Amino acid sequence: MALEFLGSSNTSQGGGCPSFYRDTDTGDIIVQGNKLTDPDKIAQLLKVKPGEEFVVVPAVLFDYHAAKVAGA
């Protein structure tokens, strides 16, 4: 599996995340970002399977990189 870097936002203090990557074998999108830790928000998530994690992605990241994530 090789990951293709699609882009990141300028919302992190370190400049490295959140970021999008594409798995070049499957086309799946991998998201790097801060883990959602707010218990009230986690409690509102539906059909959570064991082992699933949740990442907070600023909406602006989708605006910046929507075409890349869509494969365009």
Side-chain angles (χ1 to χ4, degrees), residues 1-69:
M1 168 178 86
L3 297 182
E4 171 191 10
F5 177 73
L6 298 178
S8 62
S9 73
N10 58 0
T11 60
S12 73
Q13 293 177 348
C17 71
S19 298
F20 288 141
Y21 300 83
R22 181 189 332 275
D23 180 324
T24 58
D25 293 333
T26 65
D28 291 341
I29 302 300
I30 291 87
V31 179
Q32 171 190 354
N34 293 323
K35 183 177 176 180
L36 177 63
T37 58
D38 183 318
D40 292 330
K41 291 179 181 175
I42 292 171
Q44 296 175 56
L45 297 170
L46 305 175
K47 299 182 181 180
V48 177
K49 295 185 255 179
E52 287 185 329
E53 298 281 342
F54 310 98
V55 177
V56 178
V57 179
V60 68
L61 187 60
F62 291 98
D63 293 339
Y64 290 162
H65 304 291
K68 289 182 187 176
V69 171

